[in-house]
Amino acid sequence: MFAVSELRVLIPRDKIAQRVAEMGAEITRDFQGESIIFVGVLKGAAIFLSDLARKVTLDATFDFIGVSSYGRSSNNQELKGGWDSTGEVRLTKDVDNAMVKRNVILVEDILDTGLTLTYLQRVILAHQPKTLKIAALLDKPSRRKKPIKADYVGFTIPDEFVVGYGLDHAERYRNLPDICVLPSGE
Ligand code: IMP
Ligand code: MG
């Protein structure tokens, strides 16, 4: 366990706020005159969704979807031996709202290997939405295993394990206002 003072700030809160406001403005422009449904991926996207949604001046609904990843330990690191290539991601909570013919924005904290969002894209598309876009606060393209891109990306970051602003390590640090790098070796 690390003390908060041991964490190095990678993206400070004011930079996050500025970028989230830009993303909200972009979504507002892209969907002018339309309604949208934000679908947040539990639990990491909760803080990002609540800030982003307040920067979008459109008619909007909130929803949440839950997943658990095989091959990833409780501290979010990949387990030795890699991913289970057959059933790597499992749904733990489906959406509550009907998505058919709606504009859906899937909101995720970080796009890493891409396995989670590739799976969720398929789940949402089965609901036959009008449009499906992905908003990811962070992107670690160097770790990608599936060819997926987000439509809205906050920050592209190097291959470091980050916490704060919703992101956790073994369920801790989600409430840090800044995005910080966790020292390796815990
Ligand atoms: P993917 O399926 O590898 O793209 O995994 C995305 C999920 O892994 C995210 O929703 C996070 O829960 C977790 N994750 C990946 N990288 C990090 C990180 O640096 N910090 C915290 N969680 C991470
Ligand atoms: Mg997550």
Side-chain angles (χ1 to χ4, degrees), residues 83-101:
W83 290 90
D84 175 339
S85 58
T86 49
E88 59 269 359
V89 184
R90 182 172 57 93
L91 205 63
T92 56
K93 186 208 167 291
D94 203 349
V95 290
D96 300 323
N97 293 270
M99 304 274 138
V100 59
K101 296 192 179 134

Side-chain angles (χ1 to χ4, degrees), residues 41 65 67 91 106 116-125:
V41 184
I65 197 162
V67 286
L91 205 63
L106 199 44
T116 306
L117 280 173
T118 300
Y119 171 79
L120 286 177
Q121 226 177 10
R122 208 167 62 227
V123 170
I124 303 280
L125 286 174

Side-chain angles (χ1 to χ4, degrees), residues 11-21 23 43-55 108-110 137-138 155 162-168 172-180:
I11 310 170
R13 62 199 79 180
D14 56 317
K15 288 261 163 50
I16 301 172
Q18 194 188 339
R19 184 69 193 119
V20 170
M23 294 172 86
K43 303 166 208 164
I47 291 178
F48 174 43
L49 186 149
S50 64
D51 282 348
L52 179 68
R54 285 177 290 175
K55 297 296 179 187
E108 176 61 308
D109 51 3
I110 185 165
L137 177 67
L138 303 174
F155 303 91
V162 290
V163 295
Y165 197 75
L167 292 121
D168 75 306
R172 298 183 62 237
Y173 309 110
R174 292 195 197 273
N175 60 328
L176 297 181
D178 307 304
I179 293 169
C180 302

